[in-house]
Amino acid sequence: MAAQRKSTRQRLVQAALQLFAAQGVTETTTKQIAELADVNEVTLFRHFGSKHGLLLAVIEEAEVFTQLGEALGQRADDLHSLPQALQVYAEGHLQAIEQIPEFVRSLVGEAGHYPTENRQAIGRGLSQIHRYTAQYLATVLSHNQMNASEDTALLMPLSAATLASLMNALLLGYAVIEFTTEFHELWPDREAFIADLVSLFLGAATGRAGAIAPTGRLAQFVPSQTGSRGEILDLPAPLVREILQTARKSGSQDYALAYVLFGAGLSPAEMARMQRSHSISDDQQHLLHVVQGATRQVPLNQWIMGHRYGSYTKNPLTQWLRSRKDDQPALFINEAGRSMSEVEIRLRWQTITAEIIAPSGHPPLIEQAQQTWCVEMLMRGISLESLSILTGSAPEQLQPYVRRAQEKAALEQAIRLDQRSSIKSDASS
């Protein structure tokens, strides 16, 4: 019975979307929707209460933009040219809207007549599109910067999130113009608009202020809210513990994902390409086989910032893998059961850490997990040469991490001396 109810609900949602897209919300009747879904009108009202209730379900459950977001996530890893990435996104966004032109017209033109919850649902849908876009742009921009030389690395005056907001607003505005007017003469055609859009954003992306955070193998990380280039922002132990505990409450895959970030120091791009077979463990060790860039093996630590997370054979990652019932070879998977892309990994991190504030005053960025691992390994006594082998990075690239580890060691020494002086003072008094 439950399966039948779900099937009926899905038929009604799909029928409504089809009719809304073809003739708009106002012109579509509940009788037409019920007939197309092959149910009676009473069933529609039992499930959704009214046409506006059904519209709310369509907004929240329609897969047009979800599919666009997933497609972006899968393509972002392979798009290393910024102009190409911007063009691909703009074309995909407009093509997605083009599938439902009448629905878009209705949403825009009739939104003032919708109940509050419907307008809120539209806002949530736009926010979801924004999150995918921001992570897509951040991923492609970081790849672009990682492949550029020091002199030609792109600097951004705006964050990827701000660029995503502006780009989506312009694309939606153009779509509304295209769908609601004739002979507007603003652009000769869609291709011309996209070309101008790409040129505009390339100009913004090559400005002179601020720096986008690279996300490649140990590329120096400079979030827009921090200071000078090359600054290392490793996270304090209590904050790392909080992130891991929050991830644990979020689910076994999120816990495994955070554990790999802090326990092996991998980048999101490296994690997106990992397979189940790349996790190798026995009683003596747990290794991860990294295939992106220089092929290498990295240890997955039991101990992270003073806390132990299971054993080599029983830890958050092995528990996640044992719990799975699917045949997907990827180490991490999305809700559709496909390999999780770098963009989607970043979105998961964003969700896990949304309520956590780092010393910078902002939620921690995913690159800070990799930085924390590098600094911790140096603090434990690993040599620069060994860390270079594990990370696949040249020793000179790791010098900022060496400096940061030295700073932390100096602080710890000073604190111990102060504590020792305090003990002596108490003993003599």
Side-chain angles (χ1 to χ4, degrees):
M1 290 293 292
Q4 180 61 36
R5 283 196 299 272
K6 182 179 180 181
S7 176
T8 300
R9 177 185 175 85
Q10 279 302 111
R11 290 206 310 276
L12 284 165
V13 169
Q14 291 303 318
L17 176 59
Q18 183 177 335
L19 289 170
F20 291 160
Q23 58 192 38
V25 177
T26 300
E27 298 301 320
T28 299
T29 66
T30 53
K31 182 178 180 181
Q32 290 174 325
I33 296 170
E35 289 177 351
L36 184 59
D38 197 24
V39 300
N40 60 53
E41 207 170 355
V42 174
T43 301
L44 184 153
F45 292 126
R46 187 170 68 246
H47 277 275
F48 302 102
S50 66
K51 186 169 73 172
H52 277 135
L54 178 53
L55 173 60
L56 178 62
V58 169
I59 294 170
E60 293 180 332
E61 299 174 24
E63 298 179 351
V64 174
F65 287 105
T66 300
Q67 291 169 351
L68 172 61
E70 291 179 359
L72 283 175
Q74 297 297 328
R75 292 206 62 182
D77 296 342
D78 302 319
L79 292 172
H80 299 284
S81 161
L82 183 55
Q84 180 191 20
L86 293 173
Q87 182 173 341
V88 165
Y89 177 72
E91 291 174 347
H93 188 111
L94 292 176
Q95 287 169 3
I97 297 178
E98 194 174 36
Q99 297 179 40
I100 49 173
E102 293 296 336
F103 189 35
V104 172
R105 291 191 189 102
S106 293
L107 287 180
V108 173
E110 303 167 22
H113 303 292
Y114 297 158
T116 301
E117 58 265 33
N118 286 56
R119 297 197 299 275
Q120 290 173 341
I122 295 172
R124 289 194 297 271
L126 292 173
S127 296
Q128 179 63 29
I129 296 168
H130 166 75
R131 285 192 291 272
Y132 268 112
T133 310
Q135 291 299 344
Y136 169 79
L137 291 175
T139 300
V140 174
L141 283 164
S142 66
H143 289 169
N144 189 90
Q145 193 173 45
M146 181 176 65
N147 292 335
S149 67
E150 186 73 16
D151 295 332
T152 60
L154 290 180
L155 299 179
M156 293 187 61
L158 301 174
S159 68
T162 301
L163 287 173
S165 298
L166 292 171
M167 192 167 191
N168 283 329
L170 289 171
L171 287 167
L172 181 58
Y174 176 81
V176 171
I177 292 172
E178 186 177 282
F179 295 160
T180 58
T181 65
E182 297 289 341
F183 310 112
H184 54 71
E185 297 183 354
L186 298 177
W187 287 274
D189 51 37
R190 183 182 298 183
E191 289 72 21
F193 165 76
I194 292 176
D196 286 346
L197 184 72
V198 170
S199 297
L200 172 67
F201 279 87
L202 282 177
T206 55
R208 57 182 177 83
I212 190 72
T215 59
R217 282 185 297 111
L218 293 177
Q220 290 187 9
F221 158 62
V222 192
S224 58
Q225 68 265 26
T226 64
S228 61
R229 185 173 179 81
E231 186 177 5
I232 301 301
L233 295 178
D234 57 303
L235 298 170
L239 196 67
V240 172
R241 178 70 170 170
E242 183 181 358
I243 293 171
L244 283 160
Q245 291 303 307
T246 302
R248 182 179 184 179
K249 294 175 184 176
S250 181
S252 58
Q253 176 167 228
D254 284 349
Y255 193 26
L257 190 149
Y259 176 60
V260 171
L261 284 167
F262 284 110
L266 300 187
S267 71
E270 290 167 338
M271 292 172 63
R273 287 171 169 78
M274 295 207 72
Q275 306 286 302
R276 290 199 214 193
S277 60
H278 295 158
S279 173
I280 308 162
S281 63
D282 57 34
D283 292 339
Q284 303 300 316
Q285 61 186 357
H286 191 163
L287 302 176
L288 296 178
H289 188 72
V290 182
V291 296
Q292 184 184 9
T295 301
R296 66 193 194 281
Q297 289 186 330
V298 179
L300 182 56
N301 298 332
Q302 296 180 71
W303 289 88
I304 301 174
M305 305 293 284
H307 289 274
R308 186 177 181 180
Y309 294 86
S311 65
Y312 290 129
T313 56
K314 188 177 181 180
N315 56 55
L317 180 59
T318 59
Q319 295 289 83
W320 155 243
L321 293 176
R322 287 170 187 156
S323 71
R324 287 172 55 178
K325 307 300 182 185
D326 60 275
D327 297 325
Q328 170 61 245
L331 196 65
F332 298 106
I333 56 176
N334 59 23
E335 293 182 356
R338 294 189 289 271
S339 173
M340 191 178 288
S341 68
E342 179 181 345
V343 169
E344 290 169 318
I345 288 174
R346 289 174 171 278
L347 285 169
R348 291 311 310 153
W349 170 271
Q350 211 174 56
T351 299
I352 294 167
T353 61
E355 303 300 323
I356 299 173
I357 301 300
S360 63
H362 302 267
L365 301 182
I366 196 168
E367 287 79 13
Q368 291 178 272
Q370 188 181 42
Q371 292 190 0
T372 302
W373 179 83
C374 287
V375 174
E376 185 185 13
M377 293 298 288
L378 289 166
M379 292 286 292
R380 289 187 186 185
I382 196 171
S383 68
L384 180 60
E385 291 74 18
S386 294
L387 186 61
S388 174
I389 292 170
L390 292 180
T391 60
S393 298
E396 53 269 23
Q397 291 179 284
L398 299 173
Q399 285 302 325
Y401 297 90
V402 174
R403 177 65 180 174
R404 176 57 183 155
Q406 291 171 341
E407 290 173 355
K408 291 190 70 173
L411 283 170
E412 290 184 2
Q413 184 180 14
I415 291 170
R416 285 196 299 270
L417 289 172
D418 186 60
Q419 291 171 342
R420 191 179 304 165
S421 298
S422 177
I423 292 172
K424 288 181 178 179
S425 176
D426 291 341
S428 62
S429 59

